[in-house]
């Protein structure tokens, strides 16, 4: 299959601007700049593209929410990529940066922004270098700066490097951090489309989302919408990791693969020929599934119907020898560490969840603790300022739902039989 997003897998050195141009690079911008901003927004809406950052919201619809006649307005790119098991945006930025930058230019033109900011995960120094070089080359060729392609449109792109907080991937905490403030989520509404960066209308999109824009313009919205399923259109990069033989990024049309295809055909199966015990479809932040979900299709609706979320499609596989109590504890400790502390259910809930899970994992738990965990997690769900509270409850709730007996056995035996080799 020809890749539309991970084009570096088909074309050596596509990160070089000359190679990118020789392979059709910046032609979509030439087409787009002759369209009106509204025509581009309509095309992106018609393409069915949904945001690839996790929430899966229609990109064209989000752009259309910007109020008319309020300027300046901004495009902010979410390149914070901090979800455990997610490493697709990094590959795009390091190996196919011009398609991403072309996507930013077309999108900024569509929303009539003259400034775009890339909020880049601080731990990605090589991505920062690749992007700095690509932006400088795009300037030199007239794709950025004043009078882009001899029109009166101008755009500057600024890279801002984060400082290592997972919560700064949440769009409003990201805006706070970009403004130089403490990275904590804002109360919504107002939404960033009306009151965003520096109080101005702002669109925030993920790296992979924007990398889909040049193919949409180049091939046309209708052709793009034929890729995937009617409700989950386009190509998607699936990040596969955990106990698999060939972890990595795999691009496929949404809905064209099942978990089984991804794990066994593309990922070479489970290490040591072991069985799949649990699947985390969206890193640590969506409820886990079991091997019963192996034949579920990888699109937004099918994974939701199976009881979880596709999110950013970072599929982590746990094999039959993994202790789920230990796995839930590790993920909960991560969320406790990353909670920004602004709201009580998340700040207190993550603390107590981690503490009870540690107790059970250490062999000091009681049977009543299992219900206590479920109770704390349920009270967090839907009651926090931002979705991190729900994310933090997911590992505990999902693991108890599918593996309650393992929790109870830890309590009865006062230890973990898997780690003790029994
Ligand atoms: C705690 C938390 C962390 C997030 N981290 C990221 C991230 O690293 N990258 C990302 O693109 N979106 C992340 N999101 C989702 C963003 O808030 C937002 O929905 C997304 O950037 C919108 O872009 P899209 O519409 O193109 O998907 C996160 C959300 C939450 C609640
Ligand atoms: S849910 Fe957690 S991370 Fe989100 S605002 Fe509340 S305390 Fe902060």
């Amino acid at each position: 299959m020809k890749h539309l997003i991970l084009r570096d897998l088909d074309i050596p050195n596509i990160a070089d601007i000359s190679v990118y141009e020789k392979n059709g690079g910046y032609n979509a911008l030439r087409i787009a700049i002759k369209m009106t901003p509204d025509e581009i927004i309509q095309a992106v809406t018609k393409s069915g593209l949904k945001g690839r950052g996790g929430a899966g919201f229609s990109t064209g619809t989000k752009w259309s929410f910007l109020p008319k006649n309020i300027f300046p307005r901004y495009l902010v790119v979410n390149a914070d990529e901090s979800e455990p098991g997610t490493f697709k945006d990094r590959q795009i930025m390091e190996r196919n940066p011009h398609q991403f930058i072309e996507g930013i230019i077309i999108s900024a033109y569509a929303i009539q922004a003259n400034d775009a900011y890339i909020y880049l995960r601080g731990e990605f120094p090589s991505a920062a270098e690749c992007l700095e070089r690509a932006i400088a080359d795009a300037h030199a060729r007239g794709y950025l700066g004043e009078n882009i392609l001899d029109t009166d449109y101008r755009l500057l792109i600024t890279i801002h490097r984060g400082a290592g907080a997972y919560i700064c991937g949440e769009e409003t905490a990201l805006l706070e951090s970009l403004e130089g403030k403490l990275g904590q989520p804002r109360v919504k509404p107002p939404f960033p489309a009306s009151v965003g960066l520096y109080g101005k209308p702002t669109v925030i999109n993920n790296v992979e989302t924007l990398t889909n824009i040049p193919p949409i313009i180049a091939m046309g919205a209708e052709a793009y919408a034929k890729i995937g399923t009617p409700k989950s259109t386009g190509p998607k990069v699936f990040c596969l990791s955990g106990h698999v033989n060939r972890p990595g990024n795999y691009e496929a049309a949404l809905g064209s693969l099942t978990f089984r295809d991804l794990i066994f055909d593309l990922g070479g199966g489970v290490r040591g020929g072991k069985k799949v015990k649990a699947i985390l479809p969206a890193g640590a932040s969506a409820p886990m599934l079991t091997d019963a979900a192996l034949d579920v299709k990888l699109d937004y609706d099918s994974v939701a119907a199976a009881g979880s979320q596709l999110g950013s499609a970072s599929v982590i596989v746990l094999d039959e020898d993994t202790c789920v109590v230990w796995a839930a504890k590790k993920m909960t400790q991560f969320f406790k560490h990353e909670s920004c502390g602004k709201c009580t259910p998340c700040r207190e809930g993550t603390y107590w969840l981690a503490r009870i899970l540690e107790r059970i994992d250490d062999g000091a738990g009681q049977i009543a603790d299992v219900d206590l965990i479920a109770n704390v997690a349920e009270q967090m769900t839907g009651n926090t300022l931002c979705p991190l509270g729900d994310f933090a409850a997911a590992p505990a709730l999902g693991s108890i739902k599918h593996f309650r007996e393992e929790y109870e056995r830890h309590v009865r035996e006062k230890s973990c039989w898997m780690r003790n080799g029994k």
Side-chain angles (χ1 to χ4, degrees):
M1 187 199 90
K2 246 177 92 191
H3 295 84
L4 286 175
I5 303 301
L6 302 178
R7 290 181 72 205
D8 49 294
L9 298 178
D10 302 328
I11 305 166
N13 298 328
I14 196 162
D16 181 307
I17 194 162
S18 306
V19 176
Y20 184 64
E21 286 173 323
K22 265 187 218 135
N23 287 279
Y26 290 104
N27 281 346
L29 175 61
R30 287 191 174 84
I31 299 169
I33 210 110
K34 292 191 188 120
M35 296 165 73
T36 65
D38 276 347
E39 283 170 346
I40 300 175
I41 295 176
Q42 277 165 24
V44 172
T45 308
K46 208 166 155 191
S47 75
L49 174 67
K50 288 182 174 167
R52 305 304 198 219
F57 191 77
S58 157
T59 305
T61 308
K62 187 193 272 193
W63 294 2
S64 70
F65 287 155
L66 289 194
K68 304 271 175 243
N69 302 324
I70 301 182
F71 294 92
R73 43 193 48 200
Y74 299 106
L75 176 67
V76 174
V77 187
N78 194 337
D80 198 44
E81 192 162 65
S82 309
E83 182 65 38
T86 312
F87 37 81
K88 62 190 179 64
D89 296 343
R90 179 178 181 181
Q91 178 167 343
I92 293 169
M93 292 186 287
E94 291 181 356
R95 305 213 204 146
N96 189 14
H98 283 289
Q99 186 171 330
F100 166 49
I101 287 167
E102 187 177 6
I104 295 179
I105 305 168
I106 297 170
S107 309
Y109 171 72
I111 64 160
Q112 296 171 273
N114 296 115
D115 281 289
Y117 294 91
I118 302 175
Y119 189 97
L120 179 65
R121 181 178 172 157
E123 295 94 331
F124 283 174
S126 53
E129 265 176 43
C130 296
L131 290 177
E132 295 283 7
R133 192 178 321 120
I135 289 170
D137 289 346
H139 262 279
R141 296 282 225 273
Y143 301 127
L144 273 175
E146 299 290 330
N147 304 114
I148 292 174
L149 293 176
D150 297 325
T151 64
D152 59 5
Y153 180 59
R154 69 183 165 82
L155 177 70
L156 290 179
I157 302 180
T158 305
I159 299 174
H160 176 96
R161 290 176 64 181
Y166 171 75
I167 191 58
C168 289
E170 191 282 332
E171 57 187 20
T172 59
L174 185 156
L175 294 178
E176 288 285 292
S177 171
L178 195 51
E179 289 181 4
K181 300 176 193 151
L182 185 64
Q184 287 187 319
R186 295 177 181 172
V187 178
K188 292 192 269 191
F191 291 93
S194 43
V195 183
L197 186 65
Y198 307 123
K200 294 293 175 186
T202 301
V203 162
I204 302 154
N205 275 131
N206 166 262
V207 173
E208 185 188 354
T209 309
L210 296 177
T211 308
N212 273 268
I213 301 298
I216 291 173
I217 300 298
M219 72 170 69
E222 275 167 23
Y224 179 95
K226 288 197 182 118
I227 304 169
T229 71
K231 285 189 174 167
S232 295
T233 61
K236 178 80 195 82
V237 182
F238 298 94
C239 312
L240 180 65
S241 67
H243 298 142
V244 288
N245 286 315
R246 286 197 299 271
N249 284 323
Y250 295 98
E251 178 181 328
L254 279 162
S256 67
L257 296 176
T258 60
F259 282 110
R260 189 186 299 283
D261 300 331
L262 177 69
I263 296 167
F264 289 92
D265 295 348
L266 300 176
V270 180
R271 260 183 355 196
K274 298 252 157 75
K275 286 191 195 138
V276 171
K277 179 172 190 172
I279 303 169
L280 309 174
S285 54
M288 64 173 66
L289 298 169
T290 65
D291 60 347
L294 278 171
D295 293 315
V296 170
K297 289 235 154 101
L298 289 165
D299 61 67
Y300 295 103
D301 292 333
S302 304
V303 179
S308 192
Q309 285 137 30
L310 187 63
S312 54
S314 4
V315 178
I316 305 177
V317 177
L318 306 183
D319 74 13
E320 58 187 309
D321 293 340
T322 312
C323 169
V324 286
V325 176
W326 171 85
K329 179 190 81 172
K330 296 303 278 183
M331 289 185 269
T332 306
Q333 287 171 331
F334 167 77
F335 287 118
K336 171 179 166 253
H337 182 74
E338 299 297 341
S339 165
C340 82
K342 186 165 176 171
C343 64
T344 309
C346 173
R347 184 184 62 245
E348 295 295 314
T350 50
Y351 170 83
W352 285 106
L353 276 185
R355 210 168 141 172
I356 307 165
L357 283 163
E358 283 158 9
R359 188 156 78 204
I360 297 180
D361 193 45
D362 288 345
Q366 299 169 8
I367 289 292
D369 282 343
V370 187
D371 283 332
L372 185 58
I373 296 173
N375 187 291
V376 173
E378 274 158 18
Q379 288 192 53
M380 288 164 67
T381 308
N383 290 324
T384 56
L385 184 58
C386 88
L388 190 141
D390 289 6
F391 295 176
L397 285 176
S399 57
I400 292 177
K401 179 177 163 198
H402 296 295
F403 302 100
R404 191 182 186 97
E405 165 51 25
E406 278 195 20
Y407 277 86
E408 293 179 352
R409 191 167 163 191
H410 275 77
V411 172
R412 281 197 311 273
E413 299 186 5
K414 298 196 186 314
S415 69
C416 175
W417 66 99
M418 275 174 272
R419 264 174 293 150
N420 291 343
K422 281 186 218 160

